Amino acid sequence: MPHRPGRRLHLAAATATVALTGGLLTVAAPPATAAPRAERPAPAKADFNGDGYADLAVGVPAATVGGKAAAGYVSVVWGGPRGLRASGNVRITQSTANVPGTPEARDRFGAAVAVTDVNGDGHADLAIGAPGEDVDGRVDAGNVTVVYGADGGFGAANSAGRGAKAKDAYGNALAAADFNGDKRADLAIGGTDKVVVNYDPRAARTEPGMGNRMGGRAPVLSTGDFDDDGLTDLAVAYYTKQQPYTQSHVMLYRYDKQERRLLLSWSNSNGATSAFATGDFNGDGLDDLALGNCREIADENIDDPCGPEELTKGGGVHIRYGNPNGSFGSRAQTLNQDTPGVPGAAETGDGFGEAVAAADVNGDGRDDLIVGAPGEAIGSGGGKKAAGTATVLFGGEKGILSADDELGDGVANGYSFHQDTYQVPGAAEAGDRFGAALATGDHDKDGKPDLAVSAPGENASSGGVWAAPGAVPPGTTALTPNSLSLPATSAPLTYGAVLGR
């Protein structure tokens, strides 16, 4: 959709106040008092080197390593007093000391990256997927590597999952959490038509998680305690087309202590999603699940899996809210850029929700929803096609937007920004795809979440990541392959297409 300058952005009561006029965005401080949030397990902090600052891991599976095309690597950018910084960044490849294997063409090391603490030493560790890895002659069986954080950098590493047969593609998706309640990190590994689980990622032992026909696509994964039983659940989404039938599901799996495995606990058929974000959007202490760019795949019109069809135009976000009696998703909400309170206007191809993230941006005790729309056109008449935007929508007493779910007064309960916004480096250009991936973390250790927004199409698909302190434009810096002094390559890096979370 084209950007509309001069639109006033007003946040609902008990949030900050934001105004955007002629590209200038200002944010007033949130109120001093905030509703207390019920205690929930904190996600793993992405501090790999033990300096107290959250770092950022960027998967670059398209990178050439040692002359091997698409061997791939992970770029780690350190946090510090001024946030994410280009200096001192490191690359992890399969030629890095302690990392198993060797770089080979089309390994795609870094195709998925998850942050966890496998050994419980307080340092964040990196789980890295290489779905194109050949294993003992099995082509594209796939492999997952855990690289352990340590004071000053990284230390040991081991394989945490190896595909059992050719084309298994282990590591095309990853999610980390404690599923079985033993206080140790577990790892969910996406592969071709299956998800397996490693309950002790210090070794390469995997067990079946779920299996179905996913059409060879990587599943979408997230974690959260969606049924309020004290155990972390696994959210899985996938879809197939013409194989020879169409099916799509969003499913939740919970660990059954008697069966000693993950079992299906909730399913919503007929819909698919590009991304998940888990957060507590209404501050009730229960995990909610946002489905980004939710859309109906199967043409059966059974259950309107993403809410009203008109709210999926240009990409819609469908939110299922937690329920204290365990009936997850009994309350749902769907919004797009035509929903009152959401900045902008919905147009076909915007991709609103292709990336989503959750963080308490305004400090009111409720998570806010951050939405990427990498297909959004910017400029007069939408001349810069697929330049992309990022939008922050504030949580409230009853979730995203206002207590009535929609303000209905034509003003926004959030704000959006892009590369033509004042104080954001660079310029919006066609094909940048700003907002294609999102990640949050306290990179400057000021107690507030910061936002990383990728634009993998920047500079002829060389790519880049924009680091916004406090998730607002002032102070934003651009991290590009050039500023990071990454090796030149003949193929586009699409830097930022994969961000660790």
Side-chain angles (χ1 to χ4, degrees):
M1 57 142 271
H3 170 61
R4 301 191 295 188
R7 184 173 187 186
R8 181 171 63 93
L9 303 189
H10 170 74
L11 309 191
T15 66
T17 300
V18 176
L20 176 61
T21 303
L24 174 64
L25 184 148
T26 58
V27 183
T33 58
R37 168 178 283 175
E39 185 177 349
R40 293 187 297 142
K45 181 180 178 181
D47 177 14
F48 304 114
N49 59 359
D51 64 358
Y53 297 94
D55 310 310
L56 179 68
V58 182
V60 194
T64 298
V65 178
K68 307 296 184 181
Y73 62 73
V74 175
S75 167
V76 178
V77 183
W78 304 121
R82 295 185 179 181
L84 294 173
R85 62 190 191 275
S87 61
N89 66 91
V90 300
R91 286 186 305 132
I92 300 174
T93 77
Q94 287 184 293
S95 60
T96 299
N98 301 322
V99 175
T102 57
E104 297 171 314
R106 295 177 294 281
D107 278 350
R108 302 189 67 243
F109 186 80
V113 180
V115 178
T116 183
D117 183 2
V118 169
N119 56 6
D121 67 352
H123 293 87
D125 307 317
L126 267 179
I128 303 170
E133 177 89 0
D134 296 345
V135 178
D136 297 333
R138 301 188 294 272
V139 177
D140 296 341
N143 181 68
V144 176
T145 301
V146 173
V147 183
Y148 294 88
D151 285 347
F154 291 92
N158 64 262
S159 178
R162 294 155 59 90
K165 63 183 186 300
K167 307 297 184 181
D168 266 354
Y170 275 26
N172 65 14
L174 295 170
D178 175 13
F179 300 118
N180 58 6
D182 66 356
K183 310 302 181 184
R184 297 186 300 181
D186 309 315
L187 193 60
I189 300 171
T192 302
D193 293 338
K194 70 176 69 174
V195 176
V196 298
V197 182
N198 187 334
Y199 292 103
D200 185 2
R202 294 172 295 181
R205 294 188 295 268
T206 58
E207 301 179 24
M210 58 84 64
N212 216 315
R213 298 177 62 90
M214 298 182 192
R217 299 174 179 86
V220 180
L221 304 177
S222 189
T223 64
D225 183 5
F226 302 112
D227 56 7
D228 197 32
D229 67 349
L231 292 177
T232 302
D233 310 311
L234 176 66
V236 180
Y238 72 92
Y239 73 96
T240 67
K241 273 192 172 184
Q242 299 172 346
Q243 298 190 16
Y245 53 89
T246 297
Q247 82 171 300
S248 52
H249 294 283
V250 176
M251 301 173 293
L252 301 182
Y253 285 81
R254 66 179 297 275
Y255 188 82
D256 186 286
K257 292 190 175 182
Q258 288 186 329
E259 295 282 341
R260 301 181 67 181
R261 62 189 178 100
L262 291 171
L263 297 178
L264 180 66
S265 61
W266 183 88
S267 179
N268 184 20
S269 299
N270 228 24
T273 183
S274 296
F276 281 135
T278 298
D280 180 8
F281 302 118
N282 54 7
D284 64 356
L286 303 173
D287 281 334
D288 312 314
L289 185 65
L291 284 63
N293 196 14
C294 191
R295 58 207 179 278
E296 185 171 311
I297 295 295
D299 236 355
E300 300 166 13
N301 295 312
I302 296 174
D303 55 5
D304 292 326
C306 299
E309 187 174 351
E310 63 270 18
L311 291 180
T312 62
K313 178 183 178 182
V317 178
H318 186 64
I319 305 170
R320 292 278 179 161
Y321 287 90
N323 189 298
N325 64 17
S327 56
F328 171 79
S330 57
R331 175 173 173 259
Q333 176 187 23
T334 303
L335 53 90
N336 71 349
Q337 288 180 293
D338 280 345
T339 300
V342 178
E347 293 187 347
T348 301
D350 283 348
F352 187 74
E354 284 192 22
V356 286
D360 184 5
V361 170
N362 60 1
D364 69 349
R366 304 178 181 97
D367 282 327
D368 309 307
L369 180 65
I370 306 162
V371 184
E376 184 132 353
I378 303 298
S380 177
K384 301 173 183 178
K385 297 184 183 301
T389 63
T391 298
V392 177
L393 299 173
F394 291 98
E397 182 180 350
K398 292 189 177 180
I400 300 300
L401 303 181
S402 75
D404 296 322
D405 292 340
E406 295 184 3
L407 293 175
D409 57 4
V411 295
N413 190 37
Y415 58 92
S416 64
F417 62 96
H418 46 76
Q419 287 189 79
D420 278 352
T421 300
Y422 178 66
Q423 295 184 314
V424 175
E429 298 171 311
D432 281 350
R433 293 186 54 78
F434 185 82
L438 305 167
T440 62
D442 188 2
H443 303 125
D444 55 9
K445 205 169 63 170
D446 66 352
K448 302 173 184 177
D450 306 312
L451 176 64
V453 183
S454 79
E458 175 81 5
N459 292 335
S461 295
S462 176
V465 173
W466 273 250
V472 293
T476 296
T477 59
L479 302 164
T480 65
N482 184 53
S483 69
L484 295 165
S485 299
L486 297 177
T489 178
S490 57
L493 286 178
T494 60
Y495 188 87
V498 179
L499 298 182
R501 296 171 63 180

